[in-house]
């Protein structure tokens, strides 16, 4: 598969970006992955995205002296080497990966079209959140995409402490500005996390939104902090 590697500095982290051409993907490309047999039933698109994500992850791990290729966990999450955490995301023909010493996560989403925003709003935010987004200086389609992406990043970052499969109503948008969105955790998210408000950094790239959340150990949480991600298999 044809790929191109680049890096992006964001929120104190280096994101490793892989631009890939899914039309150039061949089944034998997967043999590079130690866990390629686990992808046997996946569709062609999924296989290409997965491969691009793992290539990005390998580049990110090299920054920490690791030559590992993250496997697939029981909940389809990437399995990182001991002492490291990371996150993978992909959008269209780009895959991203980030690695850190503490739980960190990243998410990348194409900015919703007006029609998508109409269809998805009620499943992502409630009326209170809608007012916060509409009162911001951002176009509503961008703000809604950002809310969606930030919640995904938050879930990835705090998955170790979260309840199984928390819904979008388990974290509520409480504030938003030009570089950060704050989310308030509800009891539906976790009974184990002391922190109640989490700050997620964000930026746009081309026609996409990128969010990053870094989680601190819960024993150190005393108030709003910057989160991180641990992501679902990307």
């Amino acid at each position: 598969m044809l790929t191109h590697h680049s890096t992006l500095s964001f929120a104190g982290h280096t994101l490793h970006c892989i631009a890939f051409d899914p039309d150039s993907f061949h089944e034998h490309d997967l043999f590079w992955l130690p866990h390629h047999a686990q992808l046997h039933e996946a569709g062609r698109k999924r296989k290409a995205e997965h491969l691009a994500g793992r290539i990005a992850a390998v580049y990110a791990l090299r920054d920490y002296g690791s030559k590992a290729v993250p496997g697939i966990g029981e909940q389809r999450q990437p399995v990182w080497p001991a002492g490291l955490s990371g996150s993978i995301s992909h959008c269209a023909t780009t895959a991203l990966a980030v690695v850190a010493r503490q739980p960190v996560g990243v998410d990348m989403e194409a900015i919703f079209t007006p029609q998508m925003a109409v269809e998805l709003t009620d499943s992502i935010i409630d009326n209170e959140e809608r007012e916060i987004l509409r009162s911001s200086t951002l176009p509503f389609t961008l703000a809604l995409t950002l809310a969606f992406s930030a919640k995904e990043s938050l879930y990835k970052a705090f998955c170790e402490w979260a309840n199984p499969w928390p819904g979008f109503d388990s974290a509520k948008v409480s504030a938003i500005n030009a570089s950060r969105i704050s989310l308030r955790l509800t009891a539906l998210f976790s009974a184990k996390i002391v922190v109640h408000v989490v700050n997620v950094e964000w930026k746009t790239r081309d026609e996409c939104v990128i969010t990053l959340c870094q989680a601190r150990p819960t024993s150190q949480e005393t108030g709003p902090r910057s989160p991180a991600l641990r992501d679902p298999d990307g």
Side-chain angles (χ1 to χ4, degrees):
M1 183 170 71
L2 297 175
T3 64
H4 174 73
H5 171 245
S6 61
T7 60
L8 176 66
S9 295
F10 178 42
H13 294 271
T14 298
L15 305 186
H16 287 265
C17 312
I18 296 294
F20 64 100
D21 176 10
D23 291 336
S24 68
F25 170 79
H26 296 283
E27 290 290 330
H28 60 74
D29 293 332
L30 290 180
F31 293 161
W32 176 76
L33 300 172
H35 56 272
H36 62 85
Q38 292 177 260
L39 300 168
H40 178 69
E41 299 297 330
R44 177 185 173 87
K45 178 176 181 291
R46 170 62 179 160
K47 289 176 179 177
E49 292 172 342
H50 182 94
L51 178 61
R54 287 313 194 269
I55 293 172
V58 166
Y59 276 109
L61 285 167
R62 286 180 183 175
D63 290 345
Y64 290 83
S66 173
K67 297 181 180 179
V69 178
I72 303 176
E74 293 182 359
Q75 298 182 3
R76 302 203 59 78
Q77 81 280 11
V79 178
W80 303 94
L84 296 174
S85 293
S87 181
I88 301 170
S89 186
H90 40 71
C91 178
T93 57
T94 299
L96 300 178
V98 62
V99 170
R101 298 288 183 189
Q102 294 180 330
V104 62
V106 69
D107 187 71
M108 185 177 186
E109 303 288 341
I111 298 172
F112 296 156
T113 64
Q115 182 60 37
M116 290 176 63
V118 170
E119 296 173 356
L120 297 175
T121 295
D122 290 343
S123 63
I124 299 172
I125 57 173
D126 61 19
N127 289 334
E128 181 179 350
E129 293 175 286
R130 187 195 305 253
E131 290 306 312
I132 292 172
L133 298 189
R134 289 202 178 280
S135 64
S136 75
T137 59
L138 304 176
F140 184 74
T141 52
L142 172 57
L144 183 66
T145 310
L146 174 55
F148 177 91
S149 182
K151 291 183 182 188
E152 289 289 325
S153 291
L154 171 66
Y155 301 153
K156 295 173 184 181
F158 287 91
C159 67
E160 181 178 347
W161 305 286
N163 295 324
W165 307 111
F168 284 102
D169 57 349
S170 64
K172 308 285 190 179
V173 177
S174 60
I176 183 173
N177 63 30
S179 62
R180 178 178 292 177
I181 180 170
S182 299
L183 301 173
R184 175 176 52 83
L185 305 184
T186 73
L188 295 173
F189 187 83
S190 175
K192 303 175 183 178
I193 298 178
V194 177
V195 63
H196 298 296
V197 177
V198 171
N199 296 318
V200 179
E201 307 298 324
W202 73 274
K203 69 180 301 176
T204 58
R205 185 174 189 257
D206 299 327
E207 296 300 314
C208 296
V209 165
I210 300 174
T211 56
L212 188 146
C213 173
Q214 179 152 327
R216 310 294 183 184
T218 54
S219 61
Q220 297 180 13
E221 297 286 1
T222 56
R225 294 292 184 93
S226 295
L229 325 148
R230 182 163 315 163
D231 90 287
D233 184 53

